[in-house]
Amino acid sequence: MATNMSGGMGLSANEDTVESVLSRNYRYTVPDYQRRYAWREEQWGALWDDVTAIKNGETHFLGSIVVIERTDGLNELNQLEVVDGQQRLATISIILSVIRERYVGDDEYTKQAKAVENDYLWEFDLDQKRHQNLELSTFDNSSFRAILEREYSEIDSEQMKEALKFFGDKIDSLTLDEVDSLRKRLLSSVTLVTIECNKEQSAFRLFETLNDRGLELSAVDLMKNHLFSIAANSNDIDYERVQSRWQDIITNTVPHLSKPSRFFRHHIMSAPTPDYNDNVSEYKLFDVFKEIVDGVVEHDERTLEEYVKDMSNQSCIYYRMSDCDIDFFDSAGNTAINSKLNQLNNIKSVQARTLLLRAFREFDNPNKIMEVLNLVEKFLIQWKVANYATGSQFDRIHSHVCSTAFERPDPIDSMQQYLSTQCPSDAEFRAGIENKRVILNDRTKYMLAKIEREYYGGEIVDLSKYDIEHIAPRSSFSAKKYSTWSYYLDTTEATFEQHRDLLGNLTLLESDENVRIGNNPFENKTTTYRKSDISMTNSVAETYDEWGIEQINERTSRLAEAATGIWSLG
C-alpha cells in the first residue's frame, strides 16, 4: 500500500511485508551518529510474542522505518540511510540468521537456508559483489557482520551475543517444521511502513514527530535529532559540516565512555559560553541542550557550526582525559598529568571531569593542570572519607567553580577557597577516618600509598604489585588455622568487627607475601613486615610488640592525623 505524504515535506510511505522490505534492490545503512544497537530482552520478548501469535490469514504491523535515499556509483547498490528503525531491522536480521542456522546441515531445508542467506541477509550488485543487506554503524557492524557470516567467535558486542542467545534458545525449542512456519510468518505476515524522504529536513522533522508520539529515545538521540533538524531547515547553516562535527563527537565518545551522555552533561557545565551555573542531570540534558542550541541560533554571536566545532574539540580532550592519554604538553608534563589522572580514577568520581575539562580549556601550562588535579584529589578524598553526599550536589559544586573561578585573577586560588567551604572540616575528615570502617577498594589502597610516600618517605613504583594487608586478619574469629587470634585480641567478635576495617589495621604488602602469611600470628607476620619494601609496613613491626584493639585505635589516630596533613584544603 503506497501513499504519497509529500505535502511539501518530500515524503512517500509504503506498507510492505518484511519480505518486500528486505528484498528491495537497496542496501540499508545506519550512519555512525545513530545510537548503537540497544534492544534488550523486553523488546525481544515482545517481538517474539507478536510473531508467534499471528494466526493464518492475519498480519501484524511492527511499526515504521524512516530512510533517506543515497546514490552510489553505477555498479553499486543504492543505499537507504536509516534515520529510524534500525533496532527493528537489526533484530529481524538476527532472527533470520538464527533460522538459517537451524536449516544448515538438513538436506530438506537447503533451499530455505540459501534463500534466507541470499535474499534477506545479503545483496549483490551488478558485478555480483556481495553486500550486507543491512549495515550497522561502525561501532556495531563488526559484530553484526560476524553473525551474518556465522563467525560467532568474532562477536564482540555483548548486546548482540545476548540477542543471538535469546532467539537461539527460542528457535532451538522448535521442530524444523515449526521453524519453517515461523520464517513464513515473519516474512509474509509482519508488515512495516517504510517512509522514504528525499531530504534531511523531512526525515528529521518526521523523526521528531514520531518521538512526540512516544518513541523511547536517549537524551543524546534527541539532541542529535534536534540539532540536525535545525541545521537541515536553515539556509544559513552548513548541514554537512554540522553532521560531520557530530560524527566526530560520537567517534570520540561512544568507543571510550560507558555513558557517552556524560560528556555532553560535563561539557555544558564546564563551557564558558553559554554559562550554565547548575547541575545538568541525565533527565534535564535534552531540555538544557535544546535551550542552548536554540539560543545560539537566535542570539549568540557564534554560529551553530562554531558551537558544534567547539563541542567536538572538547570531546577529544574529554576522551583523552578519561583514558589518561593526554598528549597536549611536553613528554614530562604529559607523563605527570596522565599518572595523576590514573590516580584520580582510583578515587572514582567522574563528576570531577567537569572542572578538569574547563582546566584543560583554560590552561596551556602542565604545572597549572597539576595544581588543579591536586586540588580535585584533596576535595574528593575529603568528601569520600566523610561520606558526604555525591551525585547532583557534586555536579553543582563543579559547575559553580567553572562559572566563577576562571573569571578571577588567580583561578586556582579561587578554586581552593570555594572548595574549602564545600568540603568537610579537618576535624570532620579526621573523625571520618578514626570512627568509620573504610571500604576495601582502590581508593583506600591509593590513600595508603600516598601516606606511604608523604608521611613515611617511601616510594611505590607499581602499586599493582601490592595488596591491602589486614594486620589482624578479617577472619580472626572464623579462621580454622591460627584460631588463636580470637584469644590474642582479647575482645568480642562484635567489637573486633567494628575495628577490623579501620585504617589503623591496614597496611600495604607485596601480593605474594600477603597470600603467604594469611592468618599467621602477629609475631610471625612481623618477620615478613620487616622484609617488605613498604616503610609503613616496616614501621608496624618496629613500633608494636603486640596487636589488639588498643593498637588499632592508636595507629588509626596517627594515620588520621597524617591524612589530614596530606589532604587538607585549608
Side-chain angles (χ1 to χ4, degrees):
M1 178 185 71
T3 305
N4 188 334
M5 298 174 55
S6 57
M9 292 182 66
L11 304 177
S12 64
N14 193 57
E15 183 175 358
D16 276 323
T17 62
V18 166
E19 179 180 23
S20 296
V21 170
L22 294 181
S23 58
R24 298 177 68 182
N25 195 31
Y26 285 90
R27 290 191 295 136
Y28 294 93
T29 60
V30 177
D32 286 349
Y33 59 73
Q34 293 284 16
R35 70 156 80 178
R36 298 190 64 174
Y37 182 70
W39 270 18
R40 296 186 178 275
E41 186 169 342
E42 180 182 355
Q43 290 80 25
W44 302 328
L47 176 58
W48 179 263
D49 291 342
D50 289 340
V51 174
T52 54
I54 298 173
K55 297 178 181 179
N56 289 337
E58 294 182 345
T59 60
H60 173 72
F61 176 61
L62 188 58
S64 61
I65 58 175
V66 181
V67 297
I68 303 173
E69 183 173 357
R70 305 295 189 191
T71 303
D72 280 336
L74 179 63
N75 294 327
E76 289 284 337
L77 292 166
N78 286 343
Q79 297 181 35
L80 291 176
E81 183 178 294
V82 182
V83 176
D84 180 43
Q86 66 142 318
Q87 308 291 333
R88 298 181 183 92
L89 291 176
T91 304
I92 289 170
S93 298
I94 290 172
I95 295 173
L96 288 169
S97 297
V98 176
I99 290 174
R100 174 198 57 183
E101 190 70 13
R102 276 297 308 274
Y103 288 148
V104 172
D106 191 292
D107 294 339
E108 184 179 348
Y109 290 96
T110 299
K111 290 182 179 180
Q112 287 90 331
K114 288 182 179 179
V116 170
E117 174 92 7
N118 297 328
D119 295 344
Y120 311 121
L121 300 181
W122 300 92
E123 290 283 351
F124 296 85
D125 61 24
L126 295 177
D127 291 328
Q128 292 303 298
K129 181 180 178 182
R130 190 176 72 160
H131 302 271
Q132 292 174 225
N133 199 359
L134 170 66
E135 184 173 330
L136 300 187
S137 70
T138 300
F139 312 114
D140 278 330
N141 197 59
S142 60
S143 291
F144 185 66
R145 188 179 181 92
I147 292 174
L148 301 182
E149 293 182 333
R150 302 175 64 217
E151 298 289 345
Y152 303 117
S153 62
E154 301 299 318
I155 303 173
D156 294 323
S157 166
E158 291 300 323
Q159 198 82 347
M160 291 192 188
K161 286 181 183 177
E162 290 178 15
L164 202 62
K165 183 179 187 307
F166 177 87
F167 291 112
D169 290 344
K170 296 288 188 184
I171 291 172
D172 282 347
S173 68
L174 305 177
T175 67
L176 276 172
D177 286 343
E178 290 171 332
V179 171
D180 203 45
S181 177
L182 173 69
R183 173 184 64 87
K184 294 173 184 176
R185 285 200 302 275
L186 177 62
L187 292 171
S188 65
S189 298
V190 176
T191 63
L192 293 161
V193 167
T194 303
I195 304 174
E196 192 168 328
C197 310
N198 59 16
K199 50 187 177 180
E200 279 81 359
Q201 293 96 321
S202 303
F204 292 112
R205 195 183 310 168
L206 177 63
F207 190 62
E208 195 168 60
T209 301
L210 291 172
N211 177 66
D212 288 342
R213 293 178 182 174
L215 186 66
E216 291 188 6
L217 299 170
S218 72
V220 177
D221 292 322
L222 296 174
M223 290 160 60
K224 177 261 300 179
N225 176 63
H226 184 68
L227 182 68
F228 283 17
S229 180
I230 290 176
N233 281 284
S234 173
N235 294 327
D236 299 326
I237 298 173
D238 188 330
Y239 170 78
E240 291 186 357
R241 185 170 295 175
V242 169
Q243 186 185 55
S244 175
R245 293 294 186 186
W246 185 269
Q247 175 57 52
D248 291 340
I249 294 169
I250 296 302
T251 300
N252 287 338
T253 55
V254 170
H256 300 276
L257 306 174
S258 59
K259 292 184 177 180
S261 61
R262 278 180 178 154
F263 160 69
F264 296 96
R265 294 175 52 237
H266 295 163
H267 171 262
I268 290 171
M269 290 186 286
S270 72
T273 55
D275 178 40
Y276 193 85
N277 186 7
D278 198 2
N279 166 46
V280 180
S281 65
E282 182 82 20
Y283 177 76
K284 292 164 52 179
L285 176 57
F286 171 64
D287 290 335
V288 174
F289 179 82
K290 183 177 184 296
E291 181 181 340
I292 288 173
V293 168
D294 292 348
V296 169
V297 173
E298 293 176 14
H299 308 296
D300 207 313
E301 294 181 357
R302 294 175 301 172
T303 65
L304 188 64
E305 296 102 296
E306 289 171 338
Y307 176 74
V308 179
K309 179 181 179 181
D310 178 70
M311 188 161 51
S312 173
N313 292 339
Q314 291 293 294
S315 71
C316 179
I317 296 173
Y318 191 91
Y319 96 73
R320 287 194 169 277
M321 183 175 70
S322 303
D323 285 358
C324 307
D325 189 28
I326 292 296
D327 65 349
F328 311 134
F329 308 104
D330 59 30
S331 178
N334 290 332
T335 298
I337 289 169
N338 289 326
S339 176
K340 177 58 71 175
L341 287 170
N342 189 59
Q343 291 167 5
L344 288 180
N345 282 344
N346 292 327
I347 303 173
K348 299 192 186 308
S349 180
V350 296
Q351 290 95 339
R353 292 176 186 170
T354 294
L355 177 54
L356 297 180
L357 187 61
R358 182 63 178 273
F360 279 107
R361 181 195 286 269
E362 299 287 346
F363 297 130
D364 57 7
N365 183 330
N367 293 326
K368 291 289 186 183
I369 298 293
M370 287 298 295
E371 288 185 60
V372 176
L373 288 168
N374 286 325
L375 279 178
V376 167
E377 177 189 315
K378 290 180 178 181
F379 182 68
L380 293 178
I381 291 290
Q382 291 257 9
W383 266 61
K384 298 286 187 178
V385 168
N387 286 335
Y388 269 34
T390 57
S392 60
Q393 181 60 23
F394 237 11
D395 281 331
R396 287 190 183 91
I397 290 171
H398 289 113
S399 182
H400 180 79
V401 172
C402 289
S403 295
T404 57
F406 293 94
E407 302 299 320
R408 306 288 172 80
D410 188 341
I412 294 177
D413 181 65
S414 178
M415 282 181 220
Q416 179 165 357
Q417 289 185 33
Y418 178 71
L419 292 177
S420 66
T421 68
Q422 300 299 308
C423 72
S425 67
D426 287 350
E428 286 179 290
F429 178 60
R430 188 162 49 248
I433 294 177
E434 290 178 334
N435 301 323
K436 296 175 184 176
R437 290 176 288 181
V438 299
I439 300 173
L440 304 176
N441 58 11
D442 288 339
R443 182 178 72 245
T444 299
K445 190 175 181 181
Y446 173 70
M447 288 180 65
L448 288 168
K450 189 74 174 275
I451 293 171
E452 164 72 8
R453 180 169 65 252
E454 300 292 333
Y455 184 72
Y456 288 94
E459 188 63 47
I460 299 175
V461 176
D462 184 359
L463 188 56
S464 67
K465 295 182 179 179
Y466 300 86
D467 288 337
I468 295 175
E469 153 76 354
H470 279 77
I471 302 170
R474 300 189 86 222
S475 56
S476 291
F477 281 80
S478 59
K480 294 180 179 178
K481 188 176 182 181
Y482 301 122
S483 58
T484 53
W485 264 106
S486 59
Y487 300 103
Y488 183 78
L489 289 166
D490 191 26
T491 190
T492 66
E493 183 174 1
T495 299
F496 175 67
E497 285 183 356
Q498 294 175 354
H499 289 78
R500 69 183 184 185
D501 292 329
L502 290 180
L503 197 64
N505 192 43
L506 308 179
T507 189
L508 293 172
L509 189 63
E510 289 79 358
S511 299
D512 55 345
E513 293 293 345
N514 178 255
V515 172
R516 187 182 65 79
I517 65 173
N519 297 321
N520 281 6
F522 180 68
E523 58 270 24
N524 291 11
K525 284 191 170 191
T526 56
T527 301
T528 300
Y529 290 173
R530 288 188 176 92
K531 299 176 184 177
S532 175
D533 294 334
I534 305 296
S535 299
M536 173 195 300
T537 307
N538 301 154
S539 176
V540 172
E542 299 299 329
T543 305
Y544 300 99
D545 296 323
E546 57 183 358
W547 194 254
I549 300 301
E550 179 183 344
Q551 288 75 23
I552 292 175
N553 286 332
E554 187 276 328
R555 185 168 179 266
T556 298
S557 294
R558 186 142 46 87
L559 294 184
E561 190 67 31
T564 303
I566 294 169
W567 285 291
S568 174
L569 270 167

